[in-house]
């Protein structure tokens, strides 16, 4: 990304955080939908990629159904951004009342045991709002990682924003991130990781909607090395509510090498993610290449 484009991107995000959060909520909702529909009508690369991804999730959908899903998907994606821009201005009560999570006892009981919990989730609905709910409603701080965005000032904005919601944020490409996460877990803490896409050499191949994709090894490795509980979670929008579900824990296999155990556990995460995505495909914000069949020969990440 050129220096001029980086500065423009940073300025646009700054405008979003500075302006959108001041708008009345109905106005921001309408604005988000208007922007989403305009982007969808342009049929750019992101929209076409979203439709291609959704075609795997809903294989029996015809062109009209895929078009409807991608339009709903762009509205859901823009809703995520509009809510995220406004989250710092939301009251604690607004955050608490805006989220309902099924089987939350799997998380709270795991933390009460003091063994640490890894919460792994896909790019569904609004994971930032879910995180704010965890820190506000449950009163539980947690650690996460964030991709280093360009320009650096934009990354700094993301970190400051998420830290304002009660999250400890580590850079994704920092060599010390894994060690810090492991220490937090050994201390009985909570680690939350978005874990449905990994194009690095360390990504674990999984079967995902009947095709091969890669997902990060981190959640499974952390659970193995620290004894932490590994819990998949999925999210969806339901009217004005964000709904969540904590899936049954992913156990560490009793036998096998570390790599074999990691493969089995990551596949279990993928299966749980697929369940939530199939139930609410319009809320899956995957606008990039994911399946190996879609990747360029040199594994470029569009």
């Amino acid at each position: 990304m050129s220096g001029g484009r980086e500065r423009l991107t940073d300025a646009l995000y700054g405008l979003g955080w500075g302006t959108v959060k001041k708008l009345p909520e109905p106005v921001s909702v309408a604005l988000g939908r208007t922007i989403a529909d305009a982007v969808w009508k342009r049929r750019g690369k992101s929209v076409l990629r979203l439709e291609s991804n959704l075609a795997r999730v809903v294989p029996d959908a015809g062109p009209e159904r895929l078009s409807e899903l991608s339009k709903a998907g762009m509205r859901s994606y823009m809703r995520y951004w509009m809510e995220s821009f406004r989250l710092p201005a939301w009251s604690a009560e607004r955050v608490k009342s805006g989220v309902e999570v099924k089987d939350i006892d799997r998380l709270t009981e795991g933390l009460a045991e003091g063994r640490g919990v890894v919460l792994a989730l896909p790019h569904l609905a609004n994971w930032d709002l879910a995180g704010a709910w965890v820190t506000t409603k449950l009163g539980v701080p947690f650690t996460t990682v964030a991709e280093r965005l360009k320009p650096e000032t934009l990354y700094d904005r993301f970190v400051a924003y998420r830290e304002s919601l009660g999250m400890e944020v580590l850079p994704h490409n920092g060599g010390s991130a894994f060690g810090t996460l492991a220490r937090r877990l050994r201390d009985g803490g909570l680690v939350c990781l978005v874990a449905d896409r990994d194009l690095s050499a360390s990504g674990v191949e999984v079967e995902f909607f009947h095709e091969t994709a890669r997902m990060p090894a981190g959640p499974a490795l952390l659970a193995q090395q620290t004894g932490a509980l590994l819990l998949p979670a999925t999210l969806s929008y339901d009217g004005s509510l964000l709904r969540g579900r904590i899936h049954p824990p992913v156990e560490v296999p009793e036998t096998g090498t570390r790599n074999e155990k990691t493969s089995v556990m990551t596949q279990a995460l993928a299966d749980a993610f697929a369940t939530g995505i199939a139930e609410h495909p319009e809320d899956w914000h995957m606008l990039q290449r994911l399946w190996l069949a879609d990747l360029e020969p040199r594994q470029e990440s569009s």
Side-chain angles (χ1 to χ4, degrees), residues 32-48:
R33 179 165 290 203
T34 299
I35 294 172
D37 289 352
V39 172
W40 177 78
K41 286 179 182 177
R42 285 209 306 268
R43 309 287 295 162
K45 288 183 179 180
S46 294
V47 174
L48 295 177

Side-chain angles (χ1 to χ4, degrees), residues 81 108 184 186 228 257 282:
W81 280 111
T108 55
R184 299 293 182 268
R186 290 192 181 101
T257 65
E282 70 281 0

Side-chain angles (χ1 to χ4, degrees), residues 33-77:
R33 179 165 290 203
T34 299
I35 294 172
D37 289 352
V39 172
W40 177 78
K41 286 179 182 177
R42 285 209 306 268
R43 309 287 295 162
K45 288 183 179 180
S46 294
V47 174
L48 295 177
R49 177 56 53 191
L50 177 61
E51 283 190 8
S52 175
N53 291 339
L54 289 171
R56 264 73 170 236
V57 177
V58 191
D60 59 346
E64 185 176 347
R65 173 63 176 147
L66 280 177
S67 182
E68 292 172 353
L69 276 174
S70 68
K71 185 174 185 178
M74 292 307 297
R75 287 181 172 183
S76 176
Y77 182 55

Side-chain angles (χ1 to χ4, degrees), residues 104-141:
I104 190 62
D105 56 294
R106 288 174 171 152
L107 172 59
T108 55
E109 289 175 6
L111 291 170
E113 293 174 2
R115 61 184 290 196
V117 176
V118 179
L119 197 64
L121 62 160
H123 287 82
L124 272 171
N126 194 335
W127 47 97
D128 282 326
L129 174 54
W133 182 85
V134 168
T135 59
T136 306
K137 175 73 172 181
L138 302 184
V140 176

